[in-house]
Structures are given as structure tokens and as C-alpha cells.
Amino acid sequence: MTPTQSPDTTPNHLSAPSRALSFDRAAAQYAAARPGYPDALLDAVEDLTGRPLRGARTLDVGAGTGISTRRLHDRGARIVAVEPGPGMAAELRRALPDVPLVRGDGNRLPFASASADLITYAQSWHWTDPARSAAEARRILRPGGALALWWNVADHTVPWVADQDARLRRFFRVEARVDDRSAHGSAVQDRDLPPDLDFTHRRIPWTRRVRLATHIDNLGSHSAFLTIGDDAARQFLAEERARLASDFPDGTVEEAYVVELSVAVR
């Protein structure tokens, strides 16, 4: 893995659609363990789009279990969640029963042209065909509407996070490239952003404190672990839990992230 990769973007033998649907088998774990997003991210989205989220007709594409959907809904967005996976969609429906949910993905969105003020992809743009999804975004966004993409990226300036990343690279047999950027580089440069859209980028650092068990469940909810076989995943995660237990004797881990945000206004 490069310093900005996660186990969801680590190469493996499965196609992107197959890996994307792997989350269905761990939807409850994903909902319980994955990190959310800080208020500062939503502030930045409003700043870069030039309009408040309240009242904005918003499509949250690749919504998963509704982690970003909930944050946008709580800010007052008129939100519709879009999710292809049946297991993830069922978890979202349980968590947010009053939010409209449409089964689909960004490559072909079942919405009228010029019908949305904002289209968001939280941790999900890399599962799409970027050219097709960009064309759909241009079709569906109203003039002045915006496409917002973001990812929680592990902050490798934190020593224990960098050490864990090195162990993950060895486990998945992914070599660090000689031209790797530091954690101060931009992950979005690797995310196949449409070249004909003028994106503005922001980086929002934040942390969360969780129990060690939650951190291990978070790690295990990534597609690379969900697709390598249960025995191999269990062995690595058990070893990682034992290693981190000595580093965090009180059983609490402070996960460190940088949200990589890219916004293009139509």
C-alpha cells in the first residue's frame, strides 16, 4: 500500500464490483466500527459549494450503511441515499428508516436531469467507473450544483499508524513505491478524478478515540480483509490486536485521520 491507501484500495484479484459487494457480508460490523466524519468536513463542503446543506437536494451515492447520509441529513440536506449492495442497504434502512433509499450506483443513476443540488461520494468514488459517474453527475446536477468526493485517510504522520501501514503492506505483499508521497500529499490525485471538472481540494485532520476491539473491527471491515479468506484475515487481525494491546494498555486507541475532500461546482 502507498501511504494514502487503505485496505479498501489495496489491489487484489477480484474486480472492483465484486470487492464493492463484499461489504454486504459485514454490513453490521461496518456500521458499528467504521469512523464517521467531523463537523469541519461538512463546514468545508458548504464553503466550497457556496451554499448551506440545509435544504439542498442531495444524492449520497455509495451510501453504504448510511454513515455520511446521517451526517448530511442531520445538517438539513434533503437527502436520498443510493446504495447497490443489499446487505449494506438493509443496514441503512434499519438505521435511517425515514431517509429515501434507492438501489443503484454512480455509473447509472435513476434520477432526472438537473434534479440535484449536490451529489456526494463518501469513501465510494473509487468503486465507480469515473468517466461514467462524472457524466451522470453532470447530467443530474443543476447549474451551480456540486459534486463532492471525500475519503477518510489514515494519518501516517502518527508513528503507530505508519507502523501498522508497514505491517499491512507486508501482509498484502504490496511494495511501497519509491515515488510515494508523504501523508501530506493528496490521496485524491490517485482517485481518477474527471479531468474536465475543476476540483478544489481540502484536507481536514481529525481523530477519534475507540476501544481496541472497535479499531480491529474497523480494520477487518475493509474489502481486502473481506476477500482474502476468513482464516488469513482472522490470523492477521488477532496478531494485530495482541500487538496493539501492548501499545495501548488501557484498551483505547486514538485513530488519526485526514479527510481528503474534493469539490467541483457545475
Side-chain angles (χ1 to χ4, degrees):
M1 279 179 295
T2 70
T4 52
Q5 282 179 307
S6 79
D8 278 338
T9 55
T10 304
N12 75 4
H13 66 287
L14 294 179
S15 66
S18 297
R19 292 187 67 191
L21 291 176
S22 70
F23 297 115
D24 282 327
R25 65 189 293 258
Q29 178 180 336
Y30 190 110
R34 282 292 185 108
Y37 302 100
D39 288 340
L41 168 64
L42 303 178
D43 294 341
V45 170
E46 291 182 327
D47 183 35
L48 295 181
T49 60
R51 63 162 296 157
L53 286 167
R54 182 165 299 279
R57 300 175 69 90
T58 303
L59 307 180
D60 188 29
V61 186
T65 62
I67 295 172
S68 59
T69 308
R70 181 185 296 277
R71 298 292 279 123
L72 293 161
H73 179 265
D74 288 348
R75 274 288 182 109
R78 299 169 63 187
I79 189 90
V80 176
V82 182
E83 169 55 37
M88 298 289 269
E91 194 68 32
L92 189 153
R93 172 61 65 219
R94 282 190 288 272
L96 299 169
D98 297 327
V99 171
L101 171 63
V102 173
R103 294 288 302 284
D105 62 46
N107 296 331
R108 190 170 66 177
L109 291 168
F111 298 98
S113 298
S115 61
D117 300 309
L118 177 66
I119 298 176
T120 62
Y121 283 81
Q123 311 288 133
S124 58
W125 179 259
H126 57 285
W127 297 120
T128 73
D129 177 328
R132 293 172 64 188
S133 290
E136 282 291 82
R138 284 190 292 268
R139 178 182 67 82
I140 292 168
L141 286 171
R142 295 170 172 171
L147 173 64
L149 322 174
W150 64 79
W151 291 264
N152 269 321
V153 177
D155 186 350
H156 294 81
T157 64
V158 177
W160 80 264
V161 176
D163 291 344
Q164 184 177 77
D165 177 71
R167 293 190 293 272
L168 288 165
R169 285 200 306 266
R170 289 193 296 270
F171 179 68
F172 288 108
R173 296 185 175 88
V174 177
E175 297 296 329
R177 299 195 310 252
V178 296
D179 63 340
D180 276 346
R181 290 181 295 277
S182 73
H184 295 292
S186 177
V188 296
Q189 295 178 23
D190 292 332
R191 308 293 190 176
D192 294 320
L193 299 187
D196 57 337
L197 293 178
D198 185 16
F199 282 94
T200 301
H201 308 295
R202 288 273 179 91
R203 305 180 77 253
I204 301 105
W206 72 291
T207 63
R208 70 165 187 165
R209 294 176 62 83
V210 296
R211 300 299 298 169
L212 174 57
T214 301
H215 172 73
I216 296 300
D217 284 346
N218 172 20
L219 199 61
S221 74
H222 287 76
S223 63
F225 284 105
L226 296 173
T227 56
I228 62 168
D230 291 345
D231 290 344
R234 273 196 296 265
Q235 180 177 346
F236 178 90
L237 294 170
E239 292 172 355
E240 191 67 14
R241 180 170 185 161
R243 182 178 289 109
L244 293 179
S246 64
D247 294 338
F248 301 98
D250 69 347
T252 301
V253 177
E254 185 170 33
E255 296 178 339
Y257 297 99
V258 177
V259 182
E260 299 276 8
L261 168 66
S262 296
V263 174
V265 177
R266 185 177 186 278

